[in-house]
């Protein structure tokens, strides 16, 4: 497959983007003043078979009338293989069942523009010229990069323009073809159910018009108005449900190329340990074992030091890898402990001011004189991703070519790392992206790809499937960062917030991610560290929000809702503390600070009204948070039973702009609530003497069926551009539960996970 862009150009552009707003001005010079790259026509024809005719870079019409859509986003349970085809089907006037998906080639038109654009550290209320310029420039840079990636709750947001334009453009071409065939103006014809229809009764199927349509100039695509939508906005069933129910769905772990071998890893016992020696002889004598391979020389910084065992079954490979005698040299993290991490965080907050992401008015001086001061410190732990499908990748290196079968969120990055490890050009790497049994950001990483390719290099052309154990996944993840936050606020004589000062500290995911995957040094601020703190909607005249980046000795990565996942807990819990200190109801306290934010008010009011009054022995906790463009309010109904926190019901209201598929939105809110609740009640990765102390679901628990609350979702009607859905439901649940616990018990829980003991 064709590479997306040259690695050197991609590193240059990513380096500019990594500088944040300060780097935008440099990017504007030269190429920045040219028009943005178009996203309708690809650089090469779509890979089609059986006489299908491409009408643009996104779609084709098959001889059977099916619409063949190139799908650039990974399906990991979030429903994009249903929601995105709905955009095309709507504009093309075909039933959703008439859209067939093929994997999109590695072409720049499929790059995720919205995800990179959303990485800019601007406040949502900022409407200034600098923000407009920065967004335009970064969007243009993203089009040049063409990075095909699924994440940031950006799939529908990014596809809303180009995928609808692809459908509308194809529709115009088919209308033009029919008009030419019938020798009449196209305006006299209409489209319906995969055919062009004339008022006199003539009808031509898309399949019969496709060849002629391919030569028609569509002009500028004219998109439907929302009032004309027939499919968008309807709760269409998930297209992937039947195959997942009957077992025919193919995940990464289901890849079975002929002649496949199996591989398992022997990983270091502590963080950062380096392999010193191993004894392969007794392992090679075990049944089915064919190779014992030191991968360290092949992986550089793309993976931890490790050994792979190859066998004829995975169980044999796993058993042999576990039995491998090894010696390890201690790395720099040999004495790492969770207590040490938090102590370093406290030291940094004591000594450094941090980067100020947002400031207005003043938080010290006259505004602070004579006012009541409230302070608090909150903290959140490292978290694992714990996706249900184990980490895996299948690779084959043969005749100078590489083939990958992998469930990944970042196929372009996977191709690049496979090419580097195998020593081939990126154009010589092909990839089949299979379904993901959970991603949550873990499958943005490509360490498993580098490992699988390094193994396949030494297996004489045979395909090899590498599978991690659950224990390895828990102990060698790229974790959600731990964080510490301090707040100082002052209340005036009316109980209103006169000033708000918030500083936090954590590692930078973006710095590590760029270094790991692109060889770029981390530099400058990282929006993900402070998102959910600096971009809050509350109308507080005097505020300052800053963050200190700590060099993390722990590998950290993107986790569902990223910085919002813990910063929402910090911010919404402290808001509740201030309401209590002011002697006010938490809901009324919030409402008074949202006078100029009617959308936020509507979401909050909808959730509260639906929740009603808690039954005896229960309490309600409320949280309101905006992330990935969507506004979410949650009311958690909580009780305490035998000293344990139990959540019986969660009411979740969301304004995500136009609701493309309400069914999927409700599913994602339920999923996000349960994911966040698992972390809130039990998620914690701790370190002692360089080792992760957790290993599997017995000590890193996720919610069981009996612990799962009822989740009710309210979708606020909106005509705004679609925003994120997969992640925004996660951040509010922890503070909503914590606030309910305080209402019920009087105990303010300032650390995650939430524990009464």
């Amino acid at each position: 497959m064709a590479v997306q862009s040259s690695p050197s150009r991609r590193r240059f552009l990513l380096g500019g983007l990594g500088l944040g707003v300060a780097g935008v001005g440099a990017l504007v010079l030269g190429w920045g003043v040219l028009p943005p790259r178009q996203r309708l026509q690809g650089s090469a024809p779509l890979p089609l078979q059986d006489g299908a005719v491409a009408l643009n870079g996104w779609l084709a019409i098959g001889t059977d009338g099916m619409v063949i859509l190139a799908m650039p986003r990974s399906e990991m349970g979030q429903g994009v293989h249903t929601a995105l085809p709905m955009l095309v089907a709507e504009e093309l006037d075909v039933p959703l069942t008439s859209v067939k998906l093929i994997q999109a080639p590695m072409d720049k038109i499929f790059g995720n523009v919205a995800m990179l654009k959303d990485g800019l550290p601007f406040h949502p209320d900022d409407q200034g010229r600098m923000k407009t310029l920065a967004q335009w420039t970064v969007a243009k840079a993203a089009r040049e990069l063409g990075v095909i990636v699924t994440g940031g709750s950006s799939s529908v947001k990014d596809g809303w323009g180009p995928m609808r334009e692809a459908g509308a453009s194809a529709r115009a071409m088919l209308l033009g073809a029919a008009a030419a065939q019938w020798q009449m103006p196209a305006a006299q014809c209409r489209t319906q159910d995969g055919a062009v229809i004339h008022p006199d009764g003539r009808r031509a199927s898309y399949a019969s018009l496709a060849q002629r349509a391919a030569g028609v100039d569509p002009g500028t695509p004219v998109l439907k108005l929302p009032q004309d939508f027939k499919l968008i906005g309807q709760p269409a069933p998930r297209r992937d449900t039947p195959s997942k129910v009957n077992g025919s769905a193919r995940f990464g772990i289901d890849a079975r190329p002929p002649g496949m071998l199996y591989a398992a890893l022997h990983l270091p016992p502590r963080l950062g340990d380096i392999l010193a020696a191993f004894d392969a002889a007794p392992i090679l004598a075990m049944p089915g074992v064919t190779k014992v391979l030191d991968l360290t020389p092949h992986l550089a910084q793309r993976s931890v030091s490790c050994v792979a065992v190859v066998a004829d079954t995975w169980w044999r490979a796993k058993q042999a890898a576990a039995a491998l005698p090894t010696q390890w040299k201690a790395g720099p993290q040999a004495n790492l402990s969770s207590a040490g991490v938090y102590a370093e965080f406290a030291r940094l907050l004591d000594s450094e001011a941090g980067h100020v992401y947002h400031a207005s008015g003043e938080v010290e001086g006259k505004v602070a004189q004579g006012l009541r001061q409230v302070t608090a410190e909150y903290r959140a732990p490292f978290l694992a991703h714990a996706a249900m499908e184990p980490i895996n990748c299948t690779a084959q290196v043969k005749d100078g070519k590489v083939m990958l079968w992998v469930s990944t969120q970042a196929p372009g990055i996977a191709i690049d790392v496979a090419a580097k490890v195998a020593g081939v050009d990126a154009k010589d790497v092909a990839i089949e992206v299979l379904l993901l049994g959970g991603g949550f950001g873990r499958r943005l990483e490509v360490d498993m790809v580098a490992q699988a390719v390094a193994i396949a290099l030494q297996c004489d052309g045979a395909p090899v499937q590498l599978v991690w154990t659950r224990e390895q996944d828990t102990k060698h993840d790229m974790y959600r960062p731990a964080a510490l936050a301090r707040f100082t606020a002052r209340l005036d004589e009316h109980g209103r917030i006169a000033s708000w000062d918030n500083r936090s500290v954590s590692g930078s995911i973006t710095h590590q991610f760029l270094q790991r995957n692109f060889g770029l040094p981390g530099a400058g601020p990282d929006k993900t560290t402070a998102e959910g703190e600096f971009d809050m909607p509350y109308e507080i005249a005097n505020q300052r929000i800053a963050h200190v980046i700590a060099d993390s000795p722990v590998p950290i990565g993107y986790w569902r809702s990223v910085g919002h996942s813990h910063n929402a807990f910090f911010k919404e819990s402290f808001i509740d503390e201030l309401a209590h200190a002011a002697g006010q109801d938490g809901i009324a306290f919030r409402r008074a600070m949202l006078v100029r934010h009617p959308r936020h008010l509507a979401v909050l009011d909808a959730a509260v009204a639906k929740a009603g009054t808690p039954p005896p022995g229960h309490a309600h906790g409320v949280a309101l948070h905006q992330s990935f463009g969507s506004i979410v309010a949650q009311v958690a109904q909580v009780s305490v039973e035998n000293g344990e926190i139990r959540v019986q019901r969660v009411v979740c209201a969301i304004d995500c702009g136009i609701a493309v598929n309400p069914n999927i939105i409700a599913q994602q809110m339920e999923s996000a609530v349960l994911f966040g609740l698992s972390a809130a009640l039990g998620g914690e990765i701790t370190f002692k003497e360089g080792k992760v102390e957790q290993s599997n679901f017995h000590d890193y628990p996720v919610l069981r069926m009996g612990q799962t609350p009822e989740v009710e979702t309210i979708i606020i009607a909106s005509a705004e551009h679609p925003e994120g859905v997969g992640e925004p439901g996660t951040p509010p649940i922890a503070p909503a539960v914590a606030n309910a616990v305080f209402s019920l018990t009087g105990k303010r829980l300032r650390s995650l996970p939430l524990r009464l003991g």
Side-chain angles (χ1 to χ4, degrees):
M1 287 188 175
V3 69
Q4 294 164 257
S5 61
S6 71
S8 60
R9 178 170 177 78
R10 186 178 304 164
R11 281 195 293 271
F12 169 76
L13 289 171
L14 279 169
L17 290 175
L19 296 176
V21 180
V24 169
L27 286 171
V28 171
L29 299 177
W31 66 269
V33 299
L34 299 174
R37 182 185 294 272
Q38 58 84 31
R39 297 184 70 186
L40 191 58
Q41 299 293 342
S43 59
L46 284 174
L48 301 171
Q49 298 177 344
D50 302 325
V53 178
L55 298 186
N56 51 58
W58 291 82
L59 60 85
I61 305 296
T63 55
D64 56 358
M66 294 290 288
V67 176
I68 302 166
L69 173 62
M71 176 53 61
R73 303 292 173 253
S74 301
E75 177 60 77
M76 49 188 168
Q78 81 280 38
V80 293
H81 284 190
T82 301
L84 293 179
M86 288 175 69
L87 305 181
V88 171
E90 179 68 73
E91 295 291 346
L92 198 47
D93 282 329
V94 297
L96 185 57
T97 53
S98 295
V99 181
K100 180 172 68 174
L101 304 183
I102 61 170
Q103 183 178 315
M106 297 292 110
D107 197 293
K108 287 183 180 180
I109 66 170
F110 303 117
N112 193 328
V113 173
M115 184 174 173
L116 293 185
K117 181 180 171 183
D118 286 351
L120 288 168
F122 287 101
H123 196 285
D125 294 344
D126 186 351
Q127 301 299 323
R129 292 183 61 187
M130 181 61 181
K131 180 178 180 179
T132 301
L133 173 63
Q135 288 182 330
W136 184 90
T137 306
V138 169
K140 186 179 186 304
R143 293 188 184 198
E144 294 298 318
L145 288 166
V147 178
I148 299 178
V149 63
T150 306
S153 294
S154 60
S155 294
V156 171
K157 183 189 304 188
D158 184 73
W160 181 252
M163 297 189 85
R164 290 178 65 210
E165 288 170 4
S169 175
R171 179 175 177 271
M173 296 167 75
L174 291 160
L175 281 168
Q181 181 173 303
W182 296 334
Q183 297 185 343
M184 62 181 58
Q188 294 183 10
C189 305
R190 64 184 178 88
T191 53
Q192 180 180 326
D193 292 337
V196 178
I197 301 170
H198 189 268
D200 66 9
R202 278 180 284 184
R203 183 182 186 279
S205 69
Y206 287 176
S208 68
L209 295 169
Q211 287 288 352
R212 182 189 289 267
V216 174
D217 181 359
T220 302
V222 179
L223 303 179
K224 287 185 180 180
L225 298 174
Q227 59 264 32
D228 297 324
F229 290 159
K230 297 181 178 66
L231 185 58
I232 292 175
Q234 299 304 309
R238 286 274 295 268
R239 291 159 52 94
D240 53 341
T241 298
S243 64
K244 289 177 177 177
V245 171
N246 66 29
S248 63
R250 294 181 68 235
F251 294 84
I253 204 168
D254 295 321
R256 290 293 183 273
M260 187 178 79
L261 299 172
Y262 296 84
L265 297 180
H266 187 105
L267 293 170
R270 292 179 303 192
L271 203 64
D273 281 3
I274 304 297
L275 182 69
F278 66 94
D279 184 3
I283 304 305
L284 288 169
M286 295 177 70
V289 174
T290 59
K291 292 182 183 292
V292 180
L293 307 169
D294 180 2
L295 302 188
T296 307
H298 299 275
L299 297 175
Q301 295 180 343
R302 303 181 185 96
S303 169
V304 298
S305 180
C306 59
V307 183
V309 175
V310 181
D312 57 353
T313 71
W314 183 76
W315 181 252
R316 283 176 165 176
K318 173 187 177 296
Q319 295 295 95
L324 179 69
T326 56
Q327 298 176 25
W328 298 87
K329 178 182 177 181
Q333 295 90 10
N335 297 316
L336 178 71
S337 69
S338 294
V341 169
Y342 287 116
E344 174 64 6
F345 284 176
R347 186 193 70 79
L348 288 170
L349 285 184
D350 288 340
S351 61
E352 297 191 20
H355 175 79
V356 177
Y357 280 85
H358 180 71
S360 61
E362 61 177 18
V363 297
E364 298 167 336
K366 290 183 179 180
V367 72
Q369 294 177 5
L371 298 182
R372 180 181 179 185
Q373 178 175 297
V374 182
T375 63
E377 182 173 287
Y378 288 82
R379 76 180 196 179
F382 294 102
L383 292 176
H385 294 84
M388 289 295 102
E389 181 188 8
I391 294 300
N392 67 88
C393 178
T394 304
Q396 182 177 30
V397 181
K398 185 177 182 180
D399 301 329
K401 308 283 186 181
V402 180
M403 180 66 202
L404 301 174
W405 297 263
V406 62
S407 48
T408 179
Q409 296 175 244
I413 300 175
I415 285 174
D416 283 352
V417 74
K420 290 182 176 71
V421 172
V424 302
D425 289 333
K427 63 180 177 60
D428 293 320
V429 181
I431 186 170
E432 182 179 351
V433 179
L434 298 157
L435 294 174
L436 285 61
F440 313 129
R442 178 62 179 95
R443 286 181 163 92
L444 286 168
E445 303 290 346
V446 293
D447 49 330
M448 73 294 289
V449 175
Q451 293 162 354
V453 172
I455 297 167
L457 261 174
Q458 304 173 72
C459 287
D460 307 314
V464 182
Q465 183 174 93
L466 169 67
V467 180
W468 288 30
T469 66
R470 174 65 60 191
E471 289 77 11
Q472 289 172 335
D473 192 14
T474 304
K475 289 182 173 294
H476 295 278
D477 200 349
M478 278 70 167
Y479 302 97
R480 198 283 305 272
L484 184 70
R486 290 176 180 169
F487 294 86
T488 299
R490 292 176 174 86
L491 299 173
D492 65 19
E493 63 275 18
H494 303 291
R496 295 175 301 210
I497 301 176
S499 68
W500 172 284
D501 194 4
N502 169 206
R503 286 188 306 128
S504 57
V505 57
S506 70
S508 167
I509 299 172
T510 301
H511 288 183
Q512 282 204 13
F513 188 85
L514 289 174
Q515 176 62 46
R516 257 194 318 266
N517 295 292
F518 297 98
L520 293 168
D526 175 3
K527 176 206 172 187
T528 69
T529 61
E531 62 188 3
E533 291 179 322
F534 81 89
D535 45 4
M536 64 178 177
Y538 298 121
E539 296 151 10
I540 303 169
N542 303 291
Q543 53 178 293
R544 178 176 60 198
I545 296 95
H547 185 272
V548 179
I549 290 179
D551 291 334
S552 176
V554 175
I556 53 178
Y558 298 105
W559 190 90
R560 191 174 189 174
S561 75
V562 202
H564 292 282
S565 65
H566 48 84
N567 291 332
F569 169 68
F570 302 157
K571 179 260 296 180
E572 283 298 291
S573 295
F574 190 58
I575 285 287
D576 219 61
E577 283 205 56
L578 293 177
H580 179 72
Q584 297 181 30
D585 170 74
I587 298 165
F589 192 72
R590 289 173 172 82
R591 293 190 88 260
M593 296 186 292
L594 296 170
V595 175
R596 298 188 300 275
H597 291 78
R599 293 179 69 187
H600 295 76
L601 265 176
V603 171
L604 177 62
D605 289 347
V608 170
K610 180 69 172 177
T613 304
H618 297 69
H620 280 173
V622 177
L624 173 72
H625 194 74
Q626 180 173 353
S627 63
F628 305 94
S630 293
I631 306 160
V632 176
Q634 290 175 2
V635 180
Q637 180 182 310
V638 173
S639 65
V640 174
E641 302 174 11
N642 299 319
E644 293 189 2
I645 299 167
R646 296 298 301 267
V647 183
Q648 283 81 19
R649 180 185 179 215
V650 176
V651 175
C652 176
I654 178 171
D655 181 343
C656 57
I658 292 174
V660 172
N661 188 326
N663 181 51
I664 290 176
I665 294 170
Q667 290 176 351
Q668 284 304 291
M669 290 304 101
E670 294 165 6
S671 167
V673 165
L674 301 185
F675 188 85
L677 193 54
S678 288
L681 297 181
E684 184 178 29
I685 290 293
T686 57
F687 293 86
K688 183 178 181 180
E689 297 178 351
K691 295 181 180 180
V692 174
E693 295 187 284
Q694 293 72 30
S695 62
N696 209 317
F697 289 131
H698 69 285
D699 53 11
Y700 189 82
V702 297
L703 287 184
R704 271 42 175 190
M705 290 291 288
Q707 300 171 299
T708 302
E710 175 188 6
V711 181
E712 302 170 57
T713 300
I714 305 164
I715 302 171
I716 305 297
S718 176
E720 299 292 330
H721 190 288
E723 297 289 351
V725 169
E727 295 169 275
T730 292
I733 188 60
V737 173
N739 294 339
V741 170
F742 177 78
S743 178
L744 194 64
T745 67
K747 294 183 179 180
R748 181 65 67 182
L749 304 180
R750 298 189 180 95
S751 295
L752 292 173
L754 302 172
R755 295 187 179 121
L756 288 170

